[in-house]
Amino acid sequence: MTGPHVRDVVIVGGGVVGVTLARQLARYHLDVLLLERDAEVGFGVSKANSGIIHSGMHADPDTLKGQLEWPGNVGWLELRDDLGFGFAQVGELLVALSEEEFPTLDALEAQGERKGVPGMTRWDQATIRAHQPNLSREVLAAVWAPTAGVINPYEAVLLIAESAAHNGVEVATDEPLTAIDPPADDPGAPLVLHTPQRRIATRFVVNAAGLFADEVARMAGVGTFTITGRKGEEYLLDRRLAGLVTSIIFPCPTATSKGTLITPTFDGTIMVGPTAEATDDKLDTATTPDGAAQVFAAARRLVPTIDERDVIAEFAGVRAVADTEDFVLGPTARRGFVNAAGIQSPGLTAAPAIADHLVAALASEGLELRERDDFVPEVEHPVRFSVLPDEEQAELAARDPRFARLVCRCELVTEAEITDAIDRGARTLDGLKFRTRAGMGRCQGGFCTWHCLELLAERRGCALTDLTKRGGDSWLIRDRDDAPPTPVEVGERR
Ligand SMILES: Cc1cc2nc3c(=O)[nH]c(=O)nc-3n(C[C@H](O)[C@H](O)[C@H](O)COP(=O)(O)OP(=O)(O)OC[C@H]3O[C@@H](n4cnc5c(N)ncnc54)[C@H](O)[C@@H]3O)c2cc1C
């Protein structure tokens, strides 16, 4: 009789860290399963951040955050070339508003140099003005770092997960890890995990469970750290302000945050934020009047014309802060159980380097890495109709009438793009939005939500009342006799 099927690695958590690790492990002859408790990957903090791939100068080189920030930045270029998600190296300006802040510019520039970040230069007022005429006259000096970039984080996570799945990783959504059996008497025995759906035996577990990584570590009997939440509110401004700044503008940092930034997003809007407030509720993603007031007061110090009336969407994300204030990475006292926890900022930036770090840690714990020769780095990139030249748009529409039917008028998203996203795995309204941008424009889904839901229901063969905004109980349609279905919950606006 054969024994139970034993996996090589189970990754708990499908955020940017979990999916990037999954794709790296897919390069080897390994049996890998990724467990994500949400309806789709990337619905944790990986979709609710500033979307910046940091230049590499910000985090202290004596911490793991600092050591993995710059190599992570470099790793994103390779991922972008393979997968084609939105990522542009627009550069950053770290600005000083007073002479007292000059030593901070010196310190961060020296930090970047120590890490090997190329191209940093010091700009005087005239140079700053020539490049960013809308910045406040109070900006006295700046460090220019061309290596910083802006990314569509949700699009990146979805395509990385898709690539991992194409290369053999099993990506299981709506499947939370709920328990881990205590160690068996035989030290070589596999770890045994439980989800509501099944029992899983595995040689290694990687805990990439974000805000809940401390709970998962406790399940394994190695709860040596706690994770607290630090909330950040972000505000997106109308696309008509595109060009207000053309690089990411950073103030000098505070003890707990990089301060309020002004970011030209990859898709042409301007984002201002985030705040940094401790919160006991790890799921608290509400924006607040206080947060908005803080963000806009700070933003106006950098660009005086910024105005709350231009806000088209707002959201908050919660940073997963470990008590060490650093990443918690690597093996633990429980054989086979490896942490990827406490991944606060610059976790998005560092993710590719975190994945490499974890692969090395797993190898040092005995995971055999035999490279496959059939790993396919690319995935077919979804069509983005709105950015194509007129002739290509006309050609597509002539070939497939679904390209002639606009679903989202603000972001010019066609029916063909929506159905392709559903076929690629979108199961929720947010999943569609993050894949296609339908609902992200000025009207925030006022016009297209209903059509998106109809296409989702039709393509998935389910009832409208089965559909949710982001999984769980975020239902959108109430089942009422005789009355036409009505969207009853819009929830967070992005
Ligand atoms: C406001 C804000 C702005 C930020 N801006 C930036 C930035 O510009 N640049 C940057 O580099 N970093 C930034 N960050 C940090 C960055 O977003 C995070 O470091 C990164 O997204 C963390 O990824 P993760 O995979 O560890 O976590 P997550 O994305 O939260 O993923 C963890 C996943 O684990 C799942 N999970 C939890 N428990 C279980 C379980 N029991 N079973 C199965 N699955 C489970 C969750 O559902 C979740 O999907 C920002 C953070 C915030 C809050």
Side-chain angles (χ1 to χ4, degrees):
M1 204 174 93
T2 54
H5 173 64
V6 179
R7 304 270 181 171
D8 292 309
V9 184
V10 173
I11 300 166
V12 184
V16 67
V17 171
V19 300
T20 310
L21 172 65
R23 183 173 181 274
Q24 278 307 74
L25 290 174
R27 294 174 184 275
Y28 305 98
H29 287 278
L30 293 170
D31 180 347
V32 180
L33 165 67
L34 184 144
L35 291 177
E36 168 52 55
R37 71 175 187 177
D38 283 342
E40 304 204 31
V41 295
F43 278 16
V45 66
S46 294
K47 75 161 171 41
N49 53 59
S50 308
I52 294 170
I53 300 306
H54 292 293
S55 62
M57 70 164 134
H58 288 275
D60 177 350
D62 293 326
T63 61
L64 275 169
K65 290 191 291 190
Q67 284 149 23
L68 299 176
E69 182 186 31
W70 170 238
N73 172 307
V74 175
W76 277 108
L77 294 176
E78 195 185 320
L79 280 169
R80 188 262 319 262
D81 292 347
D82 286 347
L83 302 174
F85 46 77
F87 174 41
Q89 273 189 312
V90 295
E92 74 167 73
L93 260 192
L94 172 72
V95 304
L97 289 158
S98 69
E99 287 188 13
E100 287 79 68
E101 291 184 331
F102 287 3
T104 308
L105 296 189
D106 295 338
L108 287 185
E109 194 178 1
Q111 208 159 262
E113 274 162 8
R114 195 174 141 199
K115 291 195 247 173
V117 178
M120 290 178 303
T121 46
R122 192 61 78 92
W123 282 5
D124 60 14
Q125 273 189 310
T127 318
I128 295 167
R129 213 127 297 148
H131 286 85
Q132 301 294 343
N134 296 314
L135 278 198
S136 159
R137 304 279 147 184
E138 315 232 319
V139 172
L140 299 181
V143 177
W144 163 244
T147 47
V150 287
I151 191 170
N152 279 341
Y154 30 83
E155 188 193 5
V157 171
L158 287 161
L159 284 172
I160 295 169
E162 194 172 318
S163 168
H166 278 184
N167 284 292
V169 172
E170 184 190 348
V171 177
T173 51
D174 263 335
E175 186 165 354
L177 174 75
T178 49
I180 303 178
D181 282 353
D185 292 338
D186 170 7
L191 291 111
V192 176
L193 318 184
H194 297 267
T195 73
Q197 289 90 335
R198 54 184 154 165
R199 174 181 181 276
I200 304 156
T202 180
R203 294 172 59 216
F204 292 93
V205 176
V206 179
N207 170 17
L211 283 158
F212 301 95
D214 51 352
E215 287 177 19
V216 169
R218 279 200 293 278
M219 287 181 202
V222 285
T224 52
F225 59 92
T226 52
I227 300 283
T228 49
R230 190 177 293 148
K231 185 163 98 167
E233 299 184 24
E234 306 266 14
Y235 295 82
L236 270 159
L237 309 183
D238 197 332
R239 203 184 273 278
R240 76 178 179 79
L241 296 175
L244 186 71
V245 295
T246 52
S247 300
I248 309 152
I249 311 297
F250 278 80
C252 283
T254 67
T256 53
S257 104
K258 296 186 181 68
T260 295
L261 327 177
I262 305 179
T263 306
T265 68
F266 181 82
D267 286 306
T269 49
I270 297 284
M271 179 146 68
V272 290
T275 52
E277 297 293 333
T279 171
D280 293 335
D281 180 358
K282 292 178 178 178
L283 298 176
D284 172 14
T285 52
T287 50
T288 60
D290 271 1
Q294 258 183 57
V295 163
F296 283 94
R300 268 193 290 270
R301 289 195 70 205
L302 302 175
V303 176
T305 55
I306 279 186
D307 192 330
E308 290 93 320
R309 282 174 300 189
D310 287 312
V311 171
I312 59 164
E314 54 201 65
F315 64 93
V318 181
R319 303 166 183 87
V321 181
D323 26 25
T324 53
E325 281 281 348
D326 200 1
F327 298 161
V328 180
L329 291 182
T332 62
R334 176 85 187 261
R335 191 187 154 96
F337 186 88
V338 173
N339 280 318
I343 313 294
Q344 57 166 304
S345 184
L348 176 65
T349 308
I354 294 174
D356 289 343
H357 186 95
L358 292 168
V359 171
L362 288 163
S364 72
E365 291 293 289
L367 182 69
E368 192 191 345
L369 300 177
R370 269 190 310 118
E371 239 174 282
R372 288 169 47 174
D373 53 18
D374 58 349
F375 176 79
V376 181
E378 300 85 14
V379 289
E380 196 187 330
H381 194 260
V383 173
R384 282 288 288 280
F385 188 81
S386 63
V387 299
L388 296 176
D390 292 354
E391 317 78 64
E392 274 183 56
Q393 290 186 340
E395 205 180 295
L396 278 176
R399 199 161 5 112
D400 180 344
R402 294 174 310 152
F403 278 110
R405 294 198 281 272
L406 270 188
V407 174
C408 171
R409 295 187 224 168
C410 303
E411 297 290 311
L412 299 184
V413 184
T414 63
E415 187 181 307
E417 292 162 274
I418 300 283
T419 49
D420 176 58
I422 298 167
D423 294 347
R424 294 169 89 119
R427 300 176 52 215
T428 61
L429 191 64
D430 276 359
L432 260 191
K433 180 166 74 170
F434 294 136
R435 282 174 176 85
T436 64
R437 294 193 57 75
M440 278 196 186
R442 199 172 205 313
C443 89
Q444 288 292 296
F447 283 99
C448 66
T449 296
W450 184 246
H451 198 171
C452 287
L453 290 174
E454 281 181 325
L455 289 168
L456 256 177
E458 183 189 305
R459 208 83 183 167
R460 290 189 47 213
C462 65
L464 283 163
T465 46
D466 291 338
L467 296 173
T468 62
K469 179 169 161 55
R470 52 177 173 272
D473 58 2
S474 61
W475 311 109
L476 289 146
I477 314 283
R478 183 181 294 150
D479 203 1
R480 260 196 281 147
D481 291 347
D482 299 323
T486 318
V488 291
E489 192 236 333
V490 177
E492 63 184 335
R493 292 172 69 199
R494 182 184 154 179

